[in-house]
Amino acid sequence: MNRIIITLFLCLASVNIHGQSFIQQEISDSLFARIRGKSYKENCTTPRSDLRYLQVLHYNKEGEVLEGELICHKTIANDLLEIFRELYQAKYPIERMVLVDEYDANDEASMRANNSSAFNFRYVSGTRTLSRHSRGMAIDINPLYNPYVRQRGGRTLVEPSNAQPYADRSKDFPYKIVKGDLCYRLFRKYGFTWGGDWKNSKDYQHFEKR
C-alpha cells in the first residue's frame, strides 16, 4: 500500500512540475538587472514592458530533461509556450536554452555553444538593420547545427564560425532542422517564417514572426 501511495505521489508531483514549467512572466527587476547593458542595451528601443520571460522544459539528444529560459516579445509568448510544450512532448532535442546574456549577449559565442535564444537588441549580421531579435520577435534553435549561410564576394560565409561542417545540408547530423520536420511544422503552424526558406541567404536556425 505504501509503495502505491508513493508511486501515486511521484506521478502527481511530476505532472505538477511539468505543468508549472511552461510559464511566462513580466521582466522583474532582478531579471532586468541580468540583461541590462547586455541583451537590453542602453540604446534599446523595445520597451521592457513589451518583453516576457519564458521558462520551458526540453530534451537534449541524450534524452535528458533540461530547464530552458528565454525572453521574447509578449505577442508571441503564448505561441512559443505551445510550441515548446509540443516539442517537449515529442522529445524533440534542443541542446541548450539559456539567456544570451550568459554569453554577454555575444551572438557568435552563444551560437558556437549551440544555445537557442530569442531577444537580443542587435543588428542583422553585416548590416545596420535592426534584427527581429531586437524586438524579441525571432528565435534561433540549435544554431550551431543550423547556421546562417550567405555569399559575399564569391565566398561562402558561415555563422557561427565553427559551423562550417553543418552548412552542407545534404549531410545527416544531430539537431538538424529540415523543411517539414516537427520543429518546422510547429513554427509554421503558429505563423512563423523560417530562415531556411530565404532566397538570398539561408538562416537555418531562425524563425520569426511579423
Side-chain angles (χ1 to χ4, degrees):
M1 178 64 71
N2 288 341
R3 183 177 299 174
I4 294 174
I5 293 174
I6 291 173
T7 301
L8 179 60
F9 173 79
L10 290 175
C11 288
L12 290 174
S14 177
V15 170
N16 183 59
I17 290 171
H18 292 182
Q20 295 300 315
S21 294
F22 294 87
I23 60 175
Q24 63 169 300
Q25 301 172 339
E26 295 183 356
I27 307 301
S28 66
D29 290 342
S30 60
L31 178 58
F32 191 59
R34 285 177 61 190
I35 69 175
R36 189 170 185 177
K38 295 180 181 179
S39 64
Y40 200 97
K41 298 170 178 60
E42 296 303 323
N43 63 336
C44 184
T45 55
T46 301
R48 169 182 167 181
S49 59
D50 281 357
L51 300 174
R52 293 293 182 268
Y53 174 68
L54 306 188
Q55 291 177 300
V56 304
L57 293 177
H58 63 94
Y59 284 87
N60 60 17
K61 66 182 178 64
E62 287 76 28
E64 300 170 319
V65 177
L66 304 174
E67 294 183 348
E69 60 174 355
L70 59 90
I71 293 175
C72 68
H73 196 275
K74 62 183 180 182
T75 59
I76 65 169
N78 287 332
D79 291 340
L80 290 183
L81 286 179
E82 289 303 317
I83 289 169
F84 285 116
R85 185 180 285 110
E86 292 190 52
L87 290 176
Y88 171 75
Q89 291 170 346
K91 297 186 177 181
Y92 184 92
I94 298 173
E95 185 170 18
R96 182 174 292 105
M97 192 189 306
V98 299
L99 299 187
V100 71
D101 306 272
E102 298 298 319
Y103 302 91
D104 289 325
N106 184 309
D107 192 49
E108 171 73 11
S110 179
M111 289 191 296
R112 287 176 65 89
N114 200 32
N115 181 52
S116 300
S117 66
F119 171 74
N120 189 10
F121 191 79
R122 62 176 176 81
Y123 295 100
V124 175
S125 179
T127 77
R128 297 301 293 173
T129 302
L130 282 176
S131 166
R132 299 292 291 175
H133 289 279
S134 293
R135 296 192 61 226
M137 294 295 290
I139 184 168
D140 293 337
I141 303 292
N142 291 324
L144 172 60
Y145 297 93
N146 300 284
Y148 176 41
V149 183
R150 58 195 170 99
Q151 302 294 321
R152 175 179 287 181
R155 293 191 306 132
T156 299
L157 303 180
V158 179
E159 298 177 24
S161 57
N162 61 335
Q164 190 71 41
Y166 311 111
D168 183 352
R169 307 308 284 180
S170 67
K171 296 180 179 179
D172 189 28
F173 42 80
Y175 298 116
K176 179 182 177 183
I177 299 172
V178 297
K179 189 170 185 175
D181 76 0
L182 179 61
C183 186
Y184 173 89
R185 295 198 312 272
L186 284 175
F187 275 99
R188 292 290 294 148
K189 172 184 173 182
Y190 285 91
F192 288 77
T193 57
W194 181 46
D197 285 331
W198 295 352
K199 293 182 179 180
N200 296 327
S201 63
K202 298 293 184 182
D203 200 353
Y204 297 106
Q205 64 195 259
H206 182 91
F207 294 92
E208 67 174 54
K209 196 168 187 179
R210 295 185 178 274

